[in-house]
mmCIF file of all heavy atoms in Angstrom:
data_model
loop_
_atom_site.group_PDB
_atom_site.id
_atom_site.type_symbol
_atom_site.label_atom_id
_atom_site.label_comp_id
_atom_site.label_asym_id
_atom_site.label_seq_id
_atom_site.Cartn_x
_atom_site.Cartn_y
_atom_site.Cartn_z
ATOM 1 N N MET A 1 -19.663 -4.772 128.967
ATOM 2 C CA MET A 1 -20.052 -5.867 128.097
ATOM 3 C C MET A 1 -18.837 -6.583 127.534
ATOM 4 O O MET A 1 -18.854 -7.809 127.430
ATOM 5 C CB MET A 1 -20.903 -5.317 126.949
ATOM 6 C CG MET A 1 -21.495 -6.402 126.029
ATOM 7 S SD MET A 1 -22.639 -7.464 126.969
ATOM 8 C CE MET A 1 -22.937 -8.786 125.772
ATOM 9 N N MET A 2 -17.778 -5.870 127.198
ATOM 10 C CA MET A 2 -16.602 -6.499 126.697
ATOM 11 C C MET A 2 -15.970 -7.402 127.777
ATOM 12 O O MET A 2 -15.435 -8.452 127.479
ATOM 13 C CB MET A 2 -15.607 -5.442 126.214
ATOM 14 C CG MET A 2 -16.069 -4.615 124.993
ATOM 15 S SD MET A 2 -16.363 -5.634 123.532
ATOM 16 C CE MET A 2 -14.712 -6.182 123.151
ATOM 17 N N GLU A 3 -16.050 -6.934 129.027
ATOM 18 C CA GLU A 3 -15.543 -7.762 130.131
ATOM 19 C C GLU A 3 -16.344 -9.049 130.267
ATOM 20 O O GLU A 3 -15.777 -10.135 130.438
ATOM 21 C CB GLU A 3 -15.589 -6.975 131.429
ATOM 22 C CG GLU A 3 -14.647 -5.784 131.490
ATOM 23 C CD GLU A 3 -14.876 -4.945 132.729
ATOM 24 O OE1 GLU A 3 -15.827 -5.226 133.503
ATOM 25 O OE2 GLU A 3 -14.102 -4.007 132.962
ATOM 26 N N LEU A 4 -17.690 -8.947 130.149
ATOM 27 C CA LEU A 4 -18.539 -10.090 130.203
ATOM 28 C C LEU A 4 -18.209 -11.076 129.061
ATOM 29 O O LEU A 4 -18.151 -12.294 129.292
ATOM 30 C CB LEU A 4 -20.008 -9.723 130.173
ATOM 31 C CG LEU A 4 -20.614 -9.051 131.406
ATOM 32 C CD1 LEU A 4 -22.094 -8.745 131.142
ATOM 33 C CD2 LEU A 4 -20.485 -9.958 132.608
ATOM 34 N N MET A 5 -18.032 -10.533 127.892
ATOM 35 C CA MET A 5 -17.783 -11.414 126.738
ATOM 36 C C MET A 5 -16.449 -12.144 126.882
ATOM 37 O O MET A 5 -16.303 -13.264 126.451
ATOM 38 C CB MET A 5 -17.805 -10.584 125.453
ATOM 39 C CG MET A 5 -19.205 -10.097 125.089
ATOM 40 S SD MET A 5 -19.215 -8.904 123.693
ATOM 41 C CE MET A 5 -18.579 -9.892 122.364
ATOM 42 N N SER A 6 -15.459 -11.516 127.534
ATOM 43 C CA SER A 6 -14.212 -12.199 127.727
ATOM 44 C C SER A 6 -14.297 -13.300 128.761
ATOM 45 O O SER A 6 -13.568 -14.276 128.713
ATOM 46 C CB SER A 6 -13.119 -11.176 128.146
ATOM 47 O OG SER A 6 -13.388 -10.676 129.434
ATOM 48 N N LYS A 7 -15.237 -13.158 129.712
ATOM 49 C CA LYS A 7 -15.399 -14.145 130.761
ATOM 50 C C LYS A 7 -16.409 -15.236 130.376
ATOM 51 O O LYS A 7 -16.368 -16.324 130.988
ATOM 52 C CB LYS A 7 -15.907 -13.450 132.035
ATOM 53 C CG LYS A 7 -14.886 -12.478 132.609
ATOM 54 C CD LYS A 7 -15.448 -11.745 133.808
ATOM 55 C CE LYS A 7 -14.464 -10.712 134.382
ATOM 56 N NZ LYS A 7 -15.071 -9.933 135.517
ATOM 57 N N ILE A 8 -17.325 -14.957 129.469
ATOM 58 C CA ILE A 8 -18.380 -15.919 129.074
ATOM 59 C C ILE A 8 -18.277 -16.171 127.593
ATOM 60 O O ILE A 8 -18.982 -15.547 126.772
ATOM 61 C CB ILE A 8 -19.779 -15.379 129.464
ATOM 62 C CG1 ILE A 8 -19.809 -14.867 130.889
ATOM 63 C CG2 ILE A 8 -20.811 -16.483 129.250
ATOM 64 C CD1 ILE A 8 -21.132 -14.217 131.273
ATOM 65 N N PRO A 9 -17.386 -17.063 127.167
ATOM 66 C CA PRO A 9 -17.171 -17.286 125.720
ATOM 67 C C PRO A 9 -18.411 -17.757 124.974
ATOM 68 O O PRO A 9 -18.583 -17.418 123.830
ATOM 69 C CB PRO A 9 -16.053 -18.331 125.682
ATOM 70 C CG PRO A 9 -16.065 -18.986 127.025
ATOM 71 C CD PRO A 9 -16.516 -17.914 127.999
ATOM 72 N N GLU A 10 -19.324 -18.533 125.643
ATOM 73 C CA GLU A 10 -20.498 -18.977 124.965
ATOM 74 C C GLU A 10 -21.412 -17.783 124.575
ATOM 75 O O GLU A 10 -21.982 -17.744 123.479
ATOM 76 C CB GLU A 10 -21.265 -19.951 125.846
ATOM 77 C CG GLU A 10 -20.527 -21.240 126.176
ATOM 78 C CD GLU A 10 -19.575 -21.055 127.321
ATOM 79 O OE1 GLU A 10 -19.547 -19.983 127.927
ATOM 80 O OE2 GLU A 10 -18.791 -22.023 127.552
ATOM 81 N N MET A 11 -21.504 -16.796 125.437
ATOM 82 C CA MET A 11 -22.283 -15.616 125.141
ATOM 83 C C MET A 11 -21.553 -14.808 124.069
ATOM 84 O O MET A 11 -22.197 -14.277 123.126
ATOM 85 C CB MET A 11 -22.489 -14.749 126.357
ATOM 86 C CG MET A 11 -23.283 -13.476 126.094
ATOM 87 S SD MET A 11 -23.670 -12.534 127.586
ATOM 88 C CE MET A 11 -22.060 -11.920 128.076
ATOM 89 N N SER A 12 -20.255 -14.692 124.138
ATOM 90 C CA SER A 12 -19.479 -13.971 123.188
ATOM 91 C C SER A 12 -19.695 -14.537 121.774
ATOM 92 O O SER A 12 -19.822 -13.802 120.824
ATOM 93 C CB SER A 12 -18.011 -13.989 123.558
ATOM 94 O OG SER A 12 -17.210 -13.363 122.575
ATOM 95 N N ASP A 13 -19.709 -15.899 121.680
ATOM 96 C CA ASP A 13 -19.868 -16.536 120.389
ATOM 97 C C ASP A 13 -21.182 -16.117 119.748
ATOM 98 O O ASP A 13 -21.241 -15.839 118.510
ATOM 99 C CB ASP A 13 -19.835 -18.063 120.553
ATOM 100 C CG ASP A 13 -18.479 -18.579 120.911
ATOM 101 O OD1 ASP A 13 -17.496 -17.792 120.778
ATOM 102 O OD2 ASP A 13 -18.354 -19.746 121.310
ATOM 103 N N ILE A 14 -22.252 -16.106 120.525
ATOM 104 C CA ILE A 14 -23.565 -15.724 119.976
ATOM 105 C C ILE A 14 -23.598 -14.293 119.484
ATOM 106 O O ILE A 14 -24.014 -13.983 118.409
ATOM 107 C CB ILE A 14 -24.683 -16.006 121.008
ATOM 108 C CG1 ILE A 14 -24.784 -17.490 121.333
ATOM 109 C CG2 ILE A 14 -26.014 -15.468 120.512
ATOM 110 C CD1 ILE A 14 -25.714 -17.820 122.465
ATOM 111 N N VAL A 15 -23.089 -13.409 120.374
ATOM 112 C CA VAL A 15 -23.137 -11.970 120.064
ATOM 113 C C VAL A 15 -22.314 -11.652 118.787
ATOM 114 O O VAL A 15 -22.778 -10.964 117.896
ATOM 115 C CB VAL A 15 -22.639 -11.162 121.244
ATOM 116 C CG1 VAL A 15 -22.444 -9.698 120.890
ATOM 117 C CG2 VAL A 15 -23.569 -11.286 122.446
ATOM 118 N N ILE A 16 -21.113 -12.181 118.730
ATOM 119 C CA ILE A 16 -20.246 -11.876 117.603
ATOM 120 C C ILE A 16 -20.758 -12.490 116.339
ATOM 121 O O ILE A 16 -20.687 -11.860 115.253
ATOM 122 C CB ILE A 16 -18.826 -12.335 117.913
ATOM 123 C CG1 ILE A 16 -18.169 -11.426 118.972
ATOM 124 C CG2 ILE A 16 -17.954 -12.316 116.645
ATOM 125 C CD1 ILE A 16 -16.774 -11.798 119.374
ATOM 126 N N THR A 17 -21.327 -13.686 116.387
ATOM 127 C CA THR A 17 -21.903 -14.298 115.181
ATOM 128 C C THR A 17 -23.052 -13.429 114.642
ATOM 129 O O THR A 17 -23.160 -13.232 113.433
ATOM 130 C CB THR A 17 -22.399 -15.730 115.516
ATOM 131 O OG1 THR A 17 -21.298 -16.502 115.979
ATOM 132 C CG2 THR A 17 -22.980 -16.365 114.273
ATOM 133 N N VAL A 18 -23.889 -12.954 115.518
ATOM 134 C CA VAL A 18 -25.015 -12.113 115.080
ATOM 135 C C VAL A 18 -24.460 -10.806 114.489
ATOM 136 O O VAL A 18 -24.872 -10.342 113.406
ATOM 137 C CB VAL A 18 -25.967 -11.819 116.222
ATOM 138 C CG1 VAL A 18 -27.031 -10.815 115.805
ATOM 139 C CG2 VAL A 18 -26.677 -13.125 116.625
ATOM 140 N N PHE A 19 -23.562 -10.202 115.208
ATOM 141 C CA PHE A 19 -22.959 -8.918 114.711
ATOM 142 C C PHE A 19 -22.343 -9.082 113.331
ATOM 143 O O PHE A 19 -22.510 -8.264 112.426
ATOM 144 C CB PHE A 19 -21.893 -8.398 115.687
ATOM 145 C CG PHE A 19 -22.453 -7.742 116.924
ATOM 146 C CD1 PHE A 19 -21.602 -7.316 117.919
ATOM 147 C CD2 PHE A 19 -23.832 -7.538 117.095
ATOM 148 C CE1 PHE A 19 -22.066 -6.696 119.068
ATOM 149 C CE2 PHE A 19 -24.332 -6.933 118.249
ATOM 150 C CZ PHE A 19 -23.467 -6.500 119.210
ATOM 151 N N ALA A 20 -21.552 -10.181 113.180
ATOM 152 C CA ALA A 20 -20.904 -10.426 111.898
ATOM 153 C C ALA A 20 -21.931 -10.687 110.778
ATOM 154 O O ALA A 20 -21.754 -10.212 109.664
ATOM 155 C CB ALA A 20 -19.971 -11.606 112.028
ATOM 156 N N ALA A 21 -22.978 -11.438 111.089
ATOM 157 C CA ALA A 21 -24.019 -11.713 110.093
ATOM 158 C C ALA A 21 -24.744 -10.429 109.662
ATOM 159 O O ALA A 21 -25.031 -10.232 108.506
ATOM 160 C CB ALA A 21 -24.996 -12.717 110.622
ATOM 161 N N ARG A 22 -24.969 -9.531 110.652
ATOM 162 C CA ARG A 22 -25.598 -8.281 110.295
ATOM 163 C C ARG A 22 -24.725 -7.440 109.390
ATOM 164 O O ARG A 22 -25.187 -6.845 108.396
ATOM 165 C CB ARG A 22 -25.911 -7.493 111.592
ATOM 166 C CG ARG A 22 -27.087 -8.097 112.394
ATOM 167 C CD ARG A 22 -27.234 -7.376 113.697
ATOM 168 N NE ARG A 22 -28.364 -7.962 114.446
ATOM 169 C CZ ARG A 22 -28.613 -7.692 115.741
ATOM 170 N NH1 ARG A 22 -27.838 -6.832 116.400
ATOM 171 N NH2 ARG A 22 -29.655 -8.248 116.334
ATOM 172 N N ARG A 23 -23.405 -7.415 109.682
ATOM 173 C CA ARG A 23 -22.505 -6.654 108.816
ATOM 174 C C ARG A 23 -22.447 -7.256 107.421
ATOM 175 O O ARG A 23 -22.441 -6.529 106.414
ATOM 176 C CB ARG A 23 -21.125 -6.583 109.461
ATOM 177 C CG ARG A 23 -20.050 -5.926 108.598
ATOM 178 C CD ARG A 23 -20.406 -4.504 108.143
ATOM 179 N NE ARG A 23 -20.735 -3.620 109.228
ATOM 180 C CZ ARG A 23 -19.863 -2.841 109.840
ATOM 181 N NH1 ARG A 23 -18.581 -2.902 109.517
ATOM 182 N NH2 ARG A 23 -20.256 -2.022 110.788
ATOM 183 N N ARG A 24 -22.408 -8.570 107.331
ATOM 184 C CA ARG A 24 -22.360 -9.213 106.030
ATOM 185 C C ARG A 24 -23.611 -8.910 105.220
ATOM 186 O O ARG A 24 -23.546 -8.634 104.016
ATOM 187 C CB ARG A 24 -22.171 -10.746 106.189
ATOM 188 C CG ARG A 24 -22.249 -11.498 104.914
ATOM 189 C CD ARG A 24 -21.143 -11.163 103.948
ATOM 190 N NE ARG A 24 -19.871 -11.681 104.440
ATOM 191 C CZ ARG A 24 -18.763 -11.570 103.732
ATOM 192 N NH1 ARG A 24 -18.737 -10.978 102.607
ATOM 193 N NH2 ARG A 24 -17.628 -12.089 104.201
ATOM 194 N N ARG A 25 -24.769 -8.948 105.902
ATOM 195 C CA ARG A 25 -26.023 -8.623 105.169
ATOM 196 C C ARG A 25 -25.940 -7.203 104.620
ATOM 197 O O ARG A 25 -26.376 -6.949 103.494
ATOM 198 C CB ARG A 25 -27.215 -8.800 106.094
ATOM 199 C CG ARG A 25 -28.565 -8.545 105.428
ATOM 200 C CD ARG A 25 -29.675 -8.221 106.413
ATOM 201 N NE ARG A 25 -29.445 -6.972 107.099
ATOM 202 C CZ ARG A 25 -29.682 -5.777 106.559
ATOM 203 N NH1 ARG A 25 -30.131 -5.655 105.315
ATOM 204 N NH2 ARG A 25 -29.444 -4.664 107.253
ATOM 205 N N GLN A 26 -25.483 -6.277 105.426
ATOM 206 C CA GLN A 26 -25.428 -4.875 104.991
ATOM 207 C C GLN A 26 -24.497 -4.737 103.789
ATOM 208 O O GLN A 26 -24.816 -4.025 102.836
ATOM 209 C CB GLN A 26 -24.879 -4.011 106.123
ATOM 210 C CG GLN A 26 -25.844 -3.704 107.237
ATOM 211 C CD GLN A 26 -25.313 -2.695 108.205
ATOM 212 O OE1 GLN A 26 -24.560 -3.041 109.115
ATOM 213 N NE2 GLN A 26 -25.616 -1.402 108.014
ATOM 214 N N ILE A 27 -23.370 -5.423 103.813
ATOM 215 C CA ILE A 27 -22.410 -5.336 102.715
ATOM 216 C C ILE A 27 -23.027 -5.938 101.439
ATOM 217 O O ILE A 27 -22.945 -5.344 100.351
ATOM 218 C CB ILE A 27 -21.108 -6.027 103.069
ATOM 219 C CG1 ILE A 27 -20.379 -5.219 104.147
ATOM 220 C CG2 ILE A 27 -20.215 -6.190 101.853
ATOM 221 C CD1 ILE A 27 -19.155 -5.909 104.738
ATOM 222 N N GLU A 28 -23.597 -7.107 101.574
ATOM 223 C CA GLU A 28 -24.150 -7.789 100.403
ATOM 224 C C GLU A 28 -25.293 -7.010 99.768
ATOM 225 O O GLU A 28 -25.501 -7.058 98.562
ATOM 226 C CB GLU A 28 -24.590 -9.213 100.787
ATOM 227 C CG GLU A 28 -23.403 -10.122 101.121
ATOM 228 C CD GLU A 28 -23.845 -11.515 101.572
ATOM 229 O OE1 GLU A 28 -25.056 -11.683 101.860
ATOM 230 O OE2 GLU A 28 -22.985 -12.403 101.670
ATOM 231 N N GLN A 29 -26.091 -6.330 100.594
ATOM 232 C CA GLN A 29 -27.248 -5.590 100.087
ATOM 233 C C GLN A 29 -27.015 -4.106 99.896
ATOM 234 O O GLN A 29 -27.929 -3.370 99.524
ATOM 235 C CB GLN A 29 -28.450 -5.849 101.000
ATOM 236 C CG GLN A 29 -28.832 -7.314 101.105
ATOM 237 C CD GLN A 29 -30.031 -7.562 102.004
ATOM 238 O OE1 GLN A 29 -30.734 -6.620 102.432
ATOM 239 N NE2 GLN A 29 -30.299 -8.828 102.294
ATOM 240 N N GLY A 30 -25.806 -3.661 100.123
ATOM 241 C CA GLY A 30 -25.496 -2.214 100.007
ATOM 242 C C GLY A 30 -26.381 -1.394 100.908
ATOM 243 O O GLY A 30 -26.880 -0.306 100.520
ATOM 244 N N ASP A 31 -26.554 -1.847 102.132
ATOM 245 C CA ASP A 31 -27.545 -1.260 103.059
ATOM 246 C C ASP A 31 -26.799 -0.480 104.136
ATOM 247 O O ASP A 31 -26.217 -1.045 105.049
ATOM 248 C CB ASP A 31 -28.348 -2.390 103.649
ATOM 249 C CG ASP A 31 -29.516 -1.846 104.504
ATOM 250 O OD1 ASP A 31 -29.766 -0.666 104.416
ATOM 251 O OD2 ASP A 31 -30.107 -2.677 105.237
ATOM 252 N N SER A 32 -26.820 0.818 104.037
ATOM 253 C CA SER A 32 -26.112 1.669 104.992
ATOM 254 C C SER A 32 -26.601 3.086 104.897
ATOM 255 O O SER A 32 -27.150 3.514 103.890
ATOM 256 C CB SER A 32 -24.605 1.609 104.752
ATOM 257 O OG SER A 32 -23.889 2.516 105.554
ATOM 258 N N SER A 33 -26.350 3.870 105.951
ATOM 259 C CA SER A 33 -26.602 5.305 105.887
ATOM 260 C C SER A 33 -25.494 6.051 105.133
ATOM 261 O O SER A 33 -25.621 7.277 104.961
ATOM 262 C CB SER A 33 -26.735 5.856 107.299
ATOM 263 O OG SER A 33 -27.859 5.277 107.947
ATOM 264 N N LEU A 34 -24.441 5.353 104.748
ATOM 265 C CA LEU A 34 -23.373 5.976 103.965
ATOM 266 C C LEU A 34 -23.711 5.830 102.493
ATOM 267 O O LEU A 34 -23.824 4.751 101.956
ATOM 268 C CB LEU A 34 -22.055 5.252 104.274
ATOM 269 C CG LEU A 34 -20.824 5.718 103.505
ATOM 270 C CD1 LEU A 34 -20.510 7.181 103.813
ATOM 271 C CD2 LEU A 34 -19.615 4.848 103.802
ATOM 272 N N LYS A 35 -23.854 6.971 101.845
ATOM 273 C CA LYS A 35 -24.205 7.024 100.421
ATOM 274 C C LYS A 35 -23.028 7.596 99.636
ATOM 275 O O LYS A 35 -22.516 8.667 99.926
ATOM 276 C CB LYS A 35 -25.442 7.923 100.180
ATOM 277 C CG LYS A 35 -26.619 7.617 101.088
ATOM 278 C CD LYS A 35 -27.235 6.255 100.837
ATOM 279 C CE LYS A 35 -28.479 5.997 101.711
ATOM 280 N NZ LYS A 35 -29.046 4.645 101.513
ATOM 281 N N LEU A 36 -22.656 6.888 98.586
ATOM 282 C CA LEU A 36 -21.583 7.364 97.678
ATOM 283 C C LEU A 36 -22.201 7.654 96.316
ATOM 284 O O LEU A 36 -22.687 6.734 95.634
ATOM 285 C CB LEU A 36 -20.530 6.278 97.559
ATOM 286 C CG LEU A 36 -19.902 5.744 98.848
ATOM 287 C CD1 LEU A 36 -18.736 4.797 98.554
ATOM 288 C CD2 LEU A 36 -19.428 6.883 99.730
ATOM 289 N N ILE A 37 -22.173 8.911 95.934
ATOM 290 C CA ILE A 37 -22.739 9.358 94.666
ATOM 291 C C ILE A 37 -21.593 9.631 93.663
ATOM 292 O O ILE A 37 -20.719 10.433 93.933
ATOM 293 C CB ILE A 37 -23.575 10.630 94.845
ATOM 294 C CG1 ILE A 37 -24.749 10.338 95.800
ATOM 295 C CG2 ILE A 37 -24.110 11.091 93.480
ATOM 296 C CD1 ILE A 37 -25.582 11.590 96.087
ATOM 297 N N GLY A 38 -21.650 8.926 92.533
ATOM 298 C CA GLY A 38 -20.729 9.243 91.446
ATOM 299 C C GLY A 38 -19.406 8.533 91.490
ATOM 300 O O GLY A 38 -18.453 8.971 90.831
ATOM 301 N N ALA A 39 -19.313 7.360 92.119
ATOM 302 C CA ALA A 39 -18.075 6.606 92.079
ATOM 303 C C ALA A 39 -17.773 6.164 90.657
ATOM 304 O O ALA A 39 -16.628 5.848 90.330
ATOM 305 C CB ALA A 39 -18.126 5.389 92.984
ATOM 306 N N ASP A 40 -18.830 6.125 89.785
ATOM 307 C CA ASP A 40 -18.622 5.723 88.427
ATOM 308 C C ASP A 40 -17.865 6.750 87.616
ATOM 309 O O ASP A 40 -17.323 6.446 86.524
ATOM 310 C CB ASP A 40 -19.983 5.421 87.771
ATOM 311 C CG ASP A 40 -20.985 6.555 87.973
ATOM 312 O OD1 ASP A 40 -20.976 7.200 89.036
ATOM 313 O OD2 ASP A 40 -21.827 6.759 87.061
ATOM 314 N N VAL A 41 -17.797 7.983 88.104
ATOM 315 C CA VAL A 41 -17.142 9.042 87.322
ATOM 316 C C VAL A 41 -16.095 9.823 88.114
ATOM 317 O O VAL A 41 -15.258 10.484 87.505
ATOM 318 C CB VAL A 41 -18.167 10.056 86.734
ATOM 319 C CG1 VAL A 41 -19.100 9.356 85.791
ATOM 320 C CG2 VAL A 41 -18.922 10.747 87.869
ATOM 321 N N ASP A 42 -16.105 9.749 89.445
ATOM 322 C CA ASP A 42 -15.227 10.563 90.261
ATOM 323 C C ASP A 42 -14.192 9.748 90.973
ATOM 324 O O ASP A 42 -14.503 8.778 91.686
ATOM 325 C CB ASP A 42 -16.063 11.358 91.296
ATOM 326 C CG ASP A 42 -15.217 12.374 92.053
ATOM 327 O OD1 ASP A 42 -15.124 13.502 91.579
ATOM 328 O OD2 ASP A 42 -14.709 12.008 93.111
ATOM 329 N N LYS A 43 -12.934 10.103 90.801
ATOM 330 C CA LYS A 43 -11.787 9.360 91.347
ATOM 331 C C LYS A 43 -11.846 9.360 92.877
ATOM 332 O O LYS A 43 -11.531 8.359 93.512
ATOM 333 C CB LYS A 43 -10.500 9.933 90.794
ATOM 334 C CG LYS A 43 -9.229 9.215 91.221
ATOM 335 C CD LYS A 43 -8.006 9.861 90.572
ATOM 336 C CE LYS A 43 -6.726 9.177 91.022
ATOM 337 N NZ LYS A 43 -5.555 9.748 90.354
ATOM 338 N N ARG A 44 -12.142 10.507 93.479
ATOM 339 C CA ARG A 44 -12.131 10.582 94.961
ATOM 340 C C ARG A 44 -13.218 9.699 95.571
ATOM 341 O O ARG A 44 -12.975 9.028 96.578
ATOM 342 C CB ARG A 44 -12.306 12.035 95.394
ATOM 343 C CG ARG A 44 -11.125 12.933 95.099
ATOM 344 C CD ARG A 44 -11.293 14.272 95.746
ATOM 345 N NE ARG A 44 -12.580 14.894 95.369
ATOM 346 C CZ ARG A 44 -13.051 15.997 95.935
ATOM 347 N NH1 ARG A 44 -12.378 16.606 96.887
ATOM 348 N NH2 ARG A 44 -14.209 16.497 95.511
#
């Protein structure tokens, strides 16, 4: 797939734009399987 994306920039643009938008949505909504408990009190 990475080879295809390097050869077909129009397809690469669509795929990366969607991937980036998904990541941004996750960050903005705190949406992930990674859970951090106690950052308000624990330094680590």
Side-chain angles (χ1 to χ4, degrees):
M1 186 62 190
M2 295 299 293
E3 292 173 356
L4 287 181
M5 290 171 64
S6 68
K7 296 175 181 177
I8 311 175
E10 297 81 7
M11 179 173 69
S12 176
D13 291 345
I14 295 172
V15 171
I16 289 178
T17 300
V18 172
F19 283 175
R22 288 174 180 169
R23 175 55 56 90
R24 175 63 73 176
R25 183 199 65 78
Q26 285 187 276
I27 291 172
E28 291 176 348
Q29 298 181 11
D31 187 12
S32 174
S33 296
L34 177 62
K35 310 293 183 183
L36 306 185
I37 299 177
D40 50 327
V41 297
D42 187 88
K43 184 177 178 179
R44 290 188 307 172

